Amino acid sequence: MSELTTSTESMPEHPASEATTPEPTAAEIAAETATAPPPSAHERAAMTPGPAAAETATTTAASTTSIEAPPTTAANDHYSKSANAEIWWNAHFEQAAGQVLDFFAGDGISLEGKSVADIGCGDGIIDLGVAVRAKPDRLVGFDILSHDVEELRERAATYAGLEKLPDNLYFCVSDTTRLPAEDDEFDYVISWSAFEHIADPVAILREIRRILRPHGVLFIQLWPFYHSAHGTHLVDWYPEGFAQFRHSHEQILRTVRSSGEQQMASDMIEAYRTLNGITADGLQDALRQAGFRIVKVALDSEAVHIPVEASHLPLSQVAISGIKLLAIADDHWAESAPQFTNAPPPVVAIQPKDSAESDEPGADQDEPAADPGHAEPTEQPDEETEPESGSPS
């Protein structure tokens, strides 16, 4: 993709086009089962109630007393894609945008009158909230998918009473490893729930380093980490959590496809399939390689029931569900950083052994997926088996 400038003079005020998701072909279904679920944009807001919870986990032995995680009501959770449109709107326009601004404000940072970029802006609701509340001079939302600005305008009128989108808000389609922006163009860069989907985090972080001004600040929020309870993003199908370890990749795909509203299922399969398996330590490593130093961090953690299939994992993976951080450019840090050739790999562990779903007896039985952190060293996969490039969610 050729580079484009995001300057006010050359950028359309609110470029928009509708992105549709075609029904998957048989070849695409086979390809999905052959690739590891390693960004897609923020998923559609108005969804019908999701399917019921899937099977519960088995206990270590019949005589063992188990403590089961109580099922949750997915539709009441704003992270659920079956949450109604108003819940989804408030969770992003009010809560998420507010958390971004509060995290900056805790260090006396205001975005007012500044130039701001959002990497992986998705449906643009968070950007709208930031633009309205913080009043930056310009906020540009980047995503690898085109933005339905007309839909955003309609939602803004319905849920926020806005007659039009603010003049300081722009959207731009980006490449998977290249941002169409000039060097040193932005004072601040934000990213919300995108870096768990980005196929090459170091490449994008280096691009952020390029477009960020010398004294700029980067804000990243990531939720949920892959190894945490709802790391699959499939809370509507697996409200009990840890489905990535309790069920095989093929079984997860079959379960999602066979129930619920089909557009919702298609969107969430894409979100699941593009997960990269990054951990908190892996994110720090990527930032360091790209020339950033973390200066402020907040970890998200809550009480969870750890199933036996995930009991071998470090608590730093299963118990940390998310992160917020601020990072600044640090050239010395980048120069001294080792090359992390053994950085956490993409989530190849839940990749099925066979490339296509089997019709043999017993093919539908769940087999807990192994964990990438415990996989034996293997040769690097061929290019054809590498995870698809993705984008921010």
Side-chain angles (χ1 to χ4, degrees):
M1 174 178 176
S2 59
E3 284 194 50
L4 302 174
T5 179
T6 55
S7 63
T8 307
E9 293 76 19
S10 60
M11 179 180 294
E13 182 179 44
H14 297 296
S17 63
E18 295 188 3
T20 59
T21 305
E23 287 299 316
T25 64
E28 289 172 334
I29 295 174
E32 286 170 358
T33 60
T35 56
S40 67
H42 290 293
E43 293 75 30
R44 297 167 63 90
M47 295 296 180
T48 56
E55 310 85 76
T56 58
T58 58
T59 57
T60 54
S63 59
T64 302
T65 301
S66 63
I67 303 177
E68 296 291 344
T72 61
T73 304
N76 291 331
D77 184 348
H78 71 260
Y79 290 113
S80 163
K81 303 310 175 269
S82 63
N84 70 50
E86 186 173 4
I87 291 176
W88 179 268
W89 173 270
N90 289 334
H92 295 81
F93 182 77
E94 298 288 350
Q95 298 173 28
Q99 289 182 43
V100 172
L101 299 180
D102 288 347
F103 207 74
F104 276 117
D107 289 275
I109 299 173
S110 170
L111 306 187
E112 185 174 358
K114 302 297 183 179
S115 183
V116 181
D118 179 17
I119 309 305
C121 63
D123 57 23
I125 297 176
I126 295 175
D127 289 347
L128 178 59
V130 171
V132 170
R133 295 173 62 174
K135 296 179 173 57
D137 176 64
R138 182 175 57 128
L139 195 162
V140 182
F142 294 94
D143 203 291
I144 64 170
L145 299 181
S146 59
H147 311 80
D148 191 340
V149 177
E150 183 55 39
E151 183 177 1
L152 178 61
R153 185 180 291 112
E154 291 174 1
R155 293 178 185 174
T158 301
Y159 300 115
L162 297 177
E163 295 182 0
K164 65 174 187 138
L165 298 182
D167 294 335
N168 62 347
L169 180 60
Y170 304 86
F171 295 104
C172 188
V173 177
S174 64
D175 196 5
T176 55
T177 58
R178 186 78 175 170
L179 299 173
E182 299 295 330
D183 294 355
D184 305 330
E185 187 171 342
F186 295 96
D187 298 299
Y188 299 102
V189 174
I190 64 177
S191 182
W192 184 278
S193 287
F195 269 89
E196 74 269 33
H197 296 286
I198 294 174
D200 192 342
V202 174
I204 288 298
L205 285 167
R206 284 176 175 155
E207 278 292 277
I208 292 173
R209 175 72 181 84
R210 178 182 65 79
I211 69 174
L212 195 61
R213 289 172 180 157
H215 300 292
V217 180
L218 167 64
F219 166 90
I220 291 178
Q221 181 270 6
L222 191 161
W223 189 97
F225 281 114
Y226 174 75
H227 298 85
S228 64
H230 296 299
T232 62
H233 291 51
L234 301 176
V235 65
D236 289 286
W237 290 269
Y238 300 101
E240 77 281 8
F242 293 108
Q244 64 273 45
F245 304 113
R246 287 170 153 164
H247 309 285
S248 68
H249 177 48
E250 309 102 304
Q251 180 62 29
I252 289 173
L253 289 177
R254 283 196 293 270
T255 298
V256 175
R257 286 194 184 285
S258 64
S259 57
E261 196 268 340
Q262 288 306 299
Q263 182 60 57
M264 174 182 173
S266 177
D267 290 344
M268 295 314 300
I269 284 176
E270 176 66 10
Y272 168 69
R273 192 172 59 85
T274 57
L275 294 171
N276 59 25
I278 199 168
T279 64
D281 290 335
L283 180 59
Q284 182 186 28
D285 291 346
L287 283 160
R288 187 176 183 184
Q289 290 185 63
F292 285 101
R293 175 168 59 90
I294 298 174
V295 294
K296 179 181 178 180
V297 65
L299 299 177
D300 296 327
S301 183
E302 51 280 322
V304 294
H305 292 80
I306 302 174
V308 63
E309 296 89 348
S311 60
H312 62 285
L313 293 168
L315 287 178
S316 61
Q317 293 184 14
V318 295
I320 296 177
S321 59
I323 192 171
K324 297 183 189 72
L325 64 85
L326 295 181
I328 60 174
D330 190 334
D331 292 332
H332 175 72
W333 178 266
E335 291 169 3
S336 63
Q339 296 303 306
F340 292 91
T341 55
N342 293 321
V347 184
V348 296
I350 59 178
Q351 178 176 336
K353 295 179 181 178
D354 298 324
S355 60
E357 294 182 8
S358 172
D359 292 326
E360 295 297 322
D364 289 339
Q365 294 178 358
D366 289 358
E367 293 182 6
D371 171 58
H374 285 256
E376 293 298 325
T378 58
E379 295 181 2
Q380 291 297 320
D382 295 334
E383 267 184 23
E384 297 150 349
T385 61
E386 289 180 355
E388 291 184 9
S389 298
S391 110
S393 81

Short mmCIF file of all heavy atoms in Angstrom, two decimals, residues 6-57:
data_model
loop_
_atom_site.label_atom_id
_atom_site.label_comp_id
_atom_site.label_asym_id
_atom_site.label_seq_id
_atom_site.Cartn_x
_atom_site.Cartn_y
_atom_site.Cartn_z
N THR A 6 -1.72 12.01 6.54
CA THR A 6 -2.96 12.21 7.28
C THR A 6 -3.16 13.68 7.60
O THR A 6 -3.90 14.03 8.50
CB THR A 6 -2.93 11.42 8.60
OG1 THR A 6 -1.75 11.80 9.33
CG2 THR A 6 -2.89 9.94 8.32
N SER A 7 -2.51 14.56 6.86
CA SER A 7 -2.67 15.99 7.12
C SER A 7 -4.09 16.42 6.83
O SER A 7 -4.78 15.84 6.01
CB SER A 7 -1.69 16.79 6.27
OG SER A 7 -1.99 16.62 4.90
N THR A 8 -4.50 17.48 7.50
CA THR A 8 -5.88 17.96 7.34
C THR A 8 -6.17 18.36 5.91
O THR A 8 -7.26 18.17 5.39
CB THR A 8 -6.12 19.16 8.28
OG1 THR A 8 -5.75 18.78 9.61
CG2 THR A 8 -7.57 19.60 8.25
N GLU A 9 -5.15 18.93 5.21
CA GLU A 9 -5.39 19.42 3.86
C GLU A 9 -5.71 18.30 2.88
O GLU A 9 -6.50 18.46 1.96
CB GLU A 9 -4.15 20.18 3.37
CG GLU A 9 -3.87 21.49 4.12
CD GLU A 9 -3.25 21.23 5.49
OE1 GLU A 9 -2.72 20.12 5.69
OE2 GLU A 9 -3.32 22.14 6.33
N SER A 10 -5.06 17.14 3.05
CA SER A 10 -5.20 16.09 2.04
C SER A 10 -6.17 15.00 2.41
O SER A 10 -6.51 14.16 1.60
CB SER A 10 -3.83 15.45 1.77
OG SER A 10 -3.33 14.88 2.96
N MET A 11 -6.62 14.97 3.66
CA MET A 11 -7.49 13.89 4.10
C MET A 11 -8.95 14.27 4.00
O MET A 11 -9.33 15.36 4.42
CB MET A 11 -7.16 13.52 5.56
CG MET A 11 -8.05 12.41 6.08
SD MET A 11 -7.64 12.03 7.77
CE MET A 11 -6.00 11.39 7.52
N PRO A 12 -9.81 13.37 3.45
CA PRO A 12 -11.24 13.64 3.45
C PRO A 12 -11.72 13.82 4.88
O PRO A 12 -11.19 13.21 5.79
CB PRO A 12 -11.84 12.37 2.81
CG PRO A 12 -10.71 11.78 2.04
CD PRO A 12 -9.47 12.12 2.80
N GLU A 13 -12.75 14.63 5.06
CA GLU A 13 -13.17 14.94 6.42
C GLU A 13 -13.59 13.70 7.18
O GLU A 13 -13.16 13.48 8.30
CB GLU A 13 -14.32 15.94 6.40
CG GLU A 13 -14.75 16.34 7.81
CD GLU A 13 -15.86 17.35 7.81
OE1 GLU A 13 -16.81 17.17 7.02
OE2 GLU A 13 -15.79 18.31 8.56
N HIS A 14 -14.46 12.88 6.59
CA HIS A 14 -14.89 11.65 7.25
C HIS A 14 -15.04 10.54 6.22
O HIS A 14 -16.14 10.15 5.87
CB HIS A 14 -16.23 11.86 7.97
CG HIS A 14 -16.17 12.87 9.06
ND1 HIS A 14 -15.40 12.69 10.19
CD2 HIS A 14 -16.75 14.09 9.19
CE1 HIS A 14 -15.53 13.74 10.98
NE2 HIS A 14 -16.34 14.59 10.39
N PRO A 15 -13.91 10.01 5.73
CA PRO A 15 -14.01 8.95 4.72
C PRO A 15 -14.71 7.74 5.29
O PRO A 15 -14.47 7.38 6.44
CB PRO A 15 -12.55 8.64 4.38
CG PRO A 15 -11.78 9.07 5.59
CD PRO A 15 -12.53 10.25 6.13
N ALA A 16 -15.55 7.11 4.50
CA ALA A 16 -16.25 5.94 5.01
C ALA A 16 -16.64 5.03 3.87
O ALA A 16 -16.90 5.45 2.77
CB ALA A 16 -17.52 6.38 5.74
N SER A 17 -16.65 3.74 4.19
CA SER A 17 -17.20 2.74 3.27
C SER A 17 -17.61 1.55 4.10
O SER A 17 -17.01 1.27 5.12
CB SER A 17 -16.17 2.31 2.23
OG SER A 17 -15.08 1.69 2.85
N GLU A 18 -18.65 0.88 3.67
CA GLU A 18 -19.14 -0.26 4.44
C GLU A 18 -18.31 -1.49 4.15
O GLU A 18 -18.06 -1.85 3.02
CB GLU A 18 -20.61 -0.53 4.09
CG GLU A 18 -21.53 0.61 4.51
CD GLU A 18 -22.98 0.23 4.35
OE1 GLU A 18 -23.23 -0.92 3.96
OE2 GLU A 18 -23.84 1.07 4.60
N ALA A 19 -17.91 -2.15 5.24
CA ALA A 19 -17.16 -3.40 5.10
C ALA A 19 -18.09 -4.55 5.41
O ALA A 19 -18.71 -4.59 6.46
CB ALA A 19 -15.97 -3.41 6.06
N THR A 20 -18.24 -5.45 4.49
CA THR A 20 -19.10 -6.60 4.69
C THR A 20 -18.29 -7.86 4.88
O THR A 20 -17.17 -7.97 4.39
CB THR A 20 -20.06 -6.79 3.50
OG1 THR A 20 -19.26 -6.98 2.32
CG2 THR A 20 -20.95 -5.56 3.33
N THR A 21 -18.85 -8.81 5.60
CA THR A 21 -18.18 -10.09 5.85
C THR A 21 -18.89 -11.19 5.09
O THR A 21 -20.01 -11.56 5.45
CB THR A 21 -18.19 -10.42 7.35
OG1 THR A 21 -17.61 -9.33 8.07
CG2 THR A 21 -17.41 -11.70 7.60
N PRO A 22 -18.29 -11.70 4.00
CA PRO A 22 -18.96 -12.74 3.23
C PRO A 22 -19.03 -14.04 4.00
O PRO A 22 -18.24 -14.30 4.90
CB PRO A 22 -18.05 -12.88 2.00
CG PRO A 22 -16.71 -12.45 2.49
CD PRO A 22 -16.98 -11.37 3.49
N GLU A 23 -20.01 -14.86 3.64
CA GLU A 23 -20.11 -16.18 4.25
C GLU A 23 -18.89 -17.01 3.89
O GLU A 23 -18.44 -17.00 2.75
CB GLU A 23 -21.39 -16.89 3.76
CG GLU A 23 -22.65 -16.32 4.36
CD GLU A 23 -22.69 -16.43 5.87
OE1 GLU A 23 -22.32 -17.51 6.38
OE2 GLU A 23 -23.02 -15.45 6.54
N PRO A 24 -18.32 -17.74 4.85
CA PRO A 24 -17.10 -18.51 4.57
C PRO A 24 -17.37 -19.68 3.63
O PRO A 24 -18.42 -20.31 3.70
CB PRO A 24 -16.69 -19.01 5.96
CG PRO A 24 -17.96 -19.02 6.75
CD PRO A 24 -18.78 -17.88 6.22
N THR A 25 -16.41 -19.92 2.75
CA THR A 25 -16.50 -21.07 1.87
C THR A 25 -15.94 -22.29 2.57
O THR A 25 -15.30 -22.18 3.62
CB THR A 25 -15.70 -20.82 0.58
OG1 THR A 25 -14.32 -20.69 0.94
CG2 THR A 25 -16.17 -19.57 -0.13
N ALA A 26 -16.13 -23.46 1.98
CA ALA A 26 -15.58 -24.70 2.56
C ALA A 26 -14.08 -24.62 2.65
O ALA A 26 -13.47 -25.08 3.62
CB ALA A 26 -16.01 -25.90 1.69
N ALA A 27 -13.46 -24.01 1.63
CA ALA A 27 -11.99 -23.89 1.64
C ALA A 27 -11.54 -22.99 2.79
O ALA A 27 -10.53 -23.24 3.44
CB ALA A 27 -11.49 -23.33 0.31
N GLU A 28 -12.31 -21.91 3.06
CA GLU A 28 -11.95 -21.00 4.14
C GLU A 28 -12.11 -21.66 5.49
O GLU A 28 -11.31 -21.46 6.40
CB GLU A 28 -12.82 -19.75 4.07
CG GLU A 28 -12.48 -18.85 2.89
CD GLU A 28 -13.49 -17.73 2.73
OE1 GLU A 28 -14.65 -17.88 3.16
OE2 GLU A 28 -13.12 -16.69 2.15
N ILE A 29 -13.16 -22.49 5.63
CA ILE A 29 -13.34 -23.21 6.89
C ILE A 29 -12.18 -24.15 7.13
O ILE A 29 -11.64 -24.24 8.24
CB ILE A 29 -14.67 -24.00 6.87
CG1 ILE A 29 -15.86 -23.02 6.81
CG2 ILE A 29 -14.78 -24.90 8.08
CD1 ILE A 29 -17.19 -23.68 6.63
N ALA A 30 -11.76 -24.85 6.09
CA ALA A 30 -10.62 -25.76 6.23
C ALA A 30 -9.36 -24.99 6.57
O ALA A 30 -8.55 -25.42 7.39
CB ALA A 30 -10.42 -26.54 4.93
N ALA A 31 -9.22 -23.81 5.96
CA ALA A 31 -8.02 -23.01 6.24
C ALA A 31 -8.02 -22.54 7.68
O ALA A 31 -6.98 -22.48 8.33
CB ALA A 31 -7.97 -21.81 5.30
N GLU A 32 -9.19 -22.20 8.21
CA GLU A 32 -9.26 -21.74 9.59
C GLU A 32 -8.86 -22.82 10.57
O GLU A 32 -8.23 -22.57 11.58
CB GLU A 32 -10.67 -21.26 9.92
CG GLU A 32 -10.98 -19.91 9.29
CD GLU A 32 -12.45 -19.56 9.41
OE1 GLU A 32 -13.20 -20.38 9.94
OE2 GLU A 32 -12.81 -18.46 8.96
N THR A 33 -9.22 -24.06 10.29
CA THR A 33 -8.86 -25.13 11.19
C THR A 33 -7.40 -25.50 11.05
O THR A 33 -6.85 -26.17 11.90
CB THR A 33 -9.73 -26.39 10.92
OG1 THR A 33 -9.51 -26.83 9.58
CG2 THR A 33 -11.19 -26.10 11.14
N ALA A 34 -6.76 -25.05 9.96
CA ALA A 34 -5.36 -25.37 9.76
C ALA A 34 -4.44 -24.28 10.26
O ALA A 34 -3.24 -24.45 10.33
CB ALA A 34 -5.09 -25.60 8.27
N THR A 35 -5.01 -23.11 10.61
CA THR A 35 -4.17 -22.02 11.09
C THR A 35 -4.43 -21.79 12.56
O THR A 35 -5.52 -22.02 13.06
CB THR A 35 -4.49 -20.72 10.32
OG1 THR A 35 -5.88 -20.44 10.45
CG2 THR A 35 -4.10 -20.84 8.86
N ALA A 36 -3.40 -21.32 13.24
CA ALA A 36 -3.55 -21.03 14.65
C ALA A 36 -4.38 -19.78 14.83
O ALA A 36 -4.27 -18.85 14.08
CB ALA A 36 -2.18 -20.82 15.28
N PRO A 37 -5.27 -19.77 15.86
CA PRO A 37 -5.96 -18.53 16.10
C PRO A 37 -5.00 -17.55 16.69
O PRO A 37 -4.79 -17.56 17.88
CB PRO A 37 -7.06 -18.92 17.07
CG PRO A 37 -6.62 -20.18 17.67
CD PRO A 37 -5.69 -20.83 16.71
N PRO A 38 -4.34 -16.75 15.94
CA PRO A 38 -3.43 -15.81 16.55
C PRO A 38 -4.13 -14.51 16.85
O PRO A 38 -5.16 -14.32 16.31
CB PRO A 38 -2.33 -15.66 15.53
CG PRO A 38 -2.84 -16.12 14.26
CD PRO A 38 -4.01 -16.97 14.54
N PRO A 39 -6.01 -8.44 13.33
CA PRO A 39 -6.90 -7.80 14.30
C PRO A 39 -8.01 -7.54 13.53
O PRO A 39 -7.90 -7.38 12.43
CB PRO A 39 -6.12 -6.63 14.60
CG PRO A 39 -4.89 -6.74 13.94
CD PRO A 39 -4.91 -7.69 13.19
N SER A 40 -8.83 -7.94 14.13
CA SER A 40 -9.97 -7.43 13.41
C SER A 40 -10.42 -6.14 14.05
O SER A 40 -9.97 -5.74 15.10
CB SER A 40 -11.10 -8.45 13.43
OG SER A 40 -11.60 -8.60 14.73
N ALA A 41 -11.35 -5.44 13.41
CA ALA A 41 -11.84 -4.19 13.97
C ALA A 41 -12.78 -4.48 15.13
O ALA A 41 -13.16 -5.62 15.37
CB ALA A 41 -12.58 -3.39 12.90
N HIS A 42 -13.16 -3.41 15.88
CA HIS A 42 -14.15 -3.61 16.94
C HIS A 42 -15.40 -4.22 16.30
O HIS A 42 -15.85 -3.79 15.25
CB HIS A 42 -14.52 -2.27 17.58
CG HIS A 42 -13.41 -1.69 18.40
ND1 HIS A 42 -12.97 -2.26 19.56
CD2 HIS A 42 -12.63 -0.60 18.19
CE1 HIS A 42 -11.99 -1.53 20.05
NE2 HIS A 42 -11.76 -0.52 19.23
N GLU A 43 -15.95 -5.24 16.99
CA GLU A 43 -17.05 -5.97 16.38
C GLU A 43 -18.34 -5.16 16.35
O GLU A 43 -18.47 -4.13 17.01
CB GLU A 43 -17.28 -7.27 17.15
CG GLU A 43 -16.14 -8.27 17.04
CD GLU A 43 -14.95 -7.87 17.87
OE1 GLU A 43 -15.14 -7.22 18.91
OE2 GLU A 43 -13.83 -8.19 17.46
N ARG A 44 -19.28 -5.65 15.52
CA ARG A 44 -20.54 -4.93 15.36
C ARG A 44 -21.25 -4.75 16.70
O ARG A 44 -21.20 -5.60 17.56
CB ARG A 44 -21.45 -5.71 14.41
CG ARG A 44 -20.88 -5.85 13.00
CD ARG A 44 -21.65 -6.88 12.21
NE ARG A 44 -23.03 -6.48 12.03
CZ ARG A 44 -23.45 -5.76 11.00
NH1 ARG A 44 -22.61 -5.37 10.08
NH2 ARG A 44 -24.71 -5.44 10.88
N ALA A 45 -21.93 -3.61 16.85
CA ALA A 45 -22.49 -3.28 18.15
C ALA A 45 -23.82 -3.98 18.43
O ALA A 45 -24.02 -4.55 19.49
CB ALA A 45 -22.68 -1.77 18.27
N ALA A 46 -24.74 -3.91 17.51
CA ALA A 46 -26.07 -4.46 17.78
C ALA A 46 -26.11 -5.94 17.44
O ALA A 46 -26.09 -6.31 16.29
CB ALA A 46 -27.12 -3.71 16.97
N MET A 47 -26.18 -6.75 18.46
CA MET A 47 -26.17 -8.20 18.24
C MET A 47 -27.33 -8.84 18.99
O MET A 47 -27.81 -8.34 20.00
CB MET A 47 -24.85 -8.81 18.74
CG MET A 47 -23.62 -8.33 17.99
SD MET A 47 -23.67 -8.85 16.25
CE MET A 47 -22.12 -8.14 15.68
N THR A 48 -27.77 -9.99 18.52
CA THR A 48 -28.82 -10.73 19.19
C THR A 48 -28.22 -11.51 20.34
O THR A 48 -27.03 -11.73 20.39
CB THR A 48 -29.49 -11.71 18.21
OG1 THR A 48 -28.47 -12.54 17.66
CG2 THR A 48 -30.17 -10.95 17.09
N PRO A 49 -29.04 -11.94 21.31
CA PRO A 49 -28.50 -12.69 22.44
C PRO A 49 -27.69 -13.89 22.00
O PRO A 49 -28.05 -14.58 21.05
CB PRO A 49 -29.76 -13.11 23.20
CG PRO A 49 -30.76 -12.04 22.86
CD PRO A 49 -30.47 -11.68 21.43
N GLY A 50 -26.59 -14.10 22.67
CA GLY A 50 -25.66 -15.18 22.30
C GLY A 50 -26.14 -16.53 22.75
O GLY A 50 -27.10 -16.67 23.52
N PRO A 51 -25.46 -17.56 22.31
CA PRO A 51 -25.83 -18.92 22.65
C PRO A 51 -25.50 -19.25 24.09
O PRO A 51 -24.81 -18.53 24.78
CB PRO A 51 -24.97 -19.76 21.68
CG PRO A 51 -23.80 -18.89 21.41
CD PRO A 51 -24.33 -17.48 21.41
N ALA A 52 -25.99 -20.36 24.51
CA ALA A 52 -25.75 -20.80 25.89
C ALA A 52 -24.31 -21.23 26.07
O ALA A 52 -23.58 -21.41 25.12
CB ALA A 52 -26.70 -21.96 26.23
N ALA A 53 -23.94 -21.41 27.32
CA ALA A 53 -22.56 -21.82 27.62
C ALA A 53 -22.29 -23.20 27.08
O ALA A 53 -23.18 -24.03 26.94
CB ALA A 53 -22.35 -21.81 29.12
N ALA A 54 -21.02 -23.48 26.77
CA ALA A 54 -20.61 -24.79 26.28
C ALA A 54 -20.37 -25.72 27.45
O ALA A 54 -20.67 -25.42 28.60
CB ALA A 54 -19.36 -24.64 25.43
N GLU A 55 -19.78 -26.87 27.14
CA GLU A 55 -19.59 -27.91 28.12
C GLU A 55 -18.69 -27.46 29.26
O GLU A 55 -17.84 -26.63 29.10
CB GLU A 55 -18.94 -29.14 27.46
CG GLU A 55 -19.62 -29.59 26.18
CD GLU A 55 -19.11 -28.81 25.00
OE1 GLU A 55 -18.01 -29.05 24.53
OE2 GLU A 55 -19.87 -27.92 24.58
N THR A 56 -18.89 -28.04 30.47
CA THR A 56 -18.04 -27.72 31.60
C THR A 56 -16.80 -28.58 31.56
O THR A 56 -16.75 -29.62 30.91
CB THR A 56 -18.78 -27.99 32.93
OG1 THR A 56 -19.18 -29.35 32.97
CG2 THR A 56 -20.02 -27.09 33.05
N ALA A 57 -15.77 -28.15 32.29
CA ALA A 57 -14.49 -28.88 32.27
C ALA A 57 -14.59 -30.14 33.10
O ALA A 57 -15.39 -30.26 34.02
CB ALA A 57 -13.39 -27.98 32.83
#
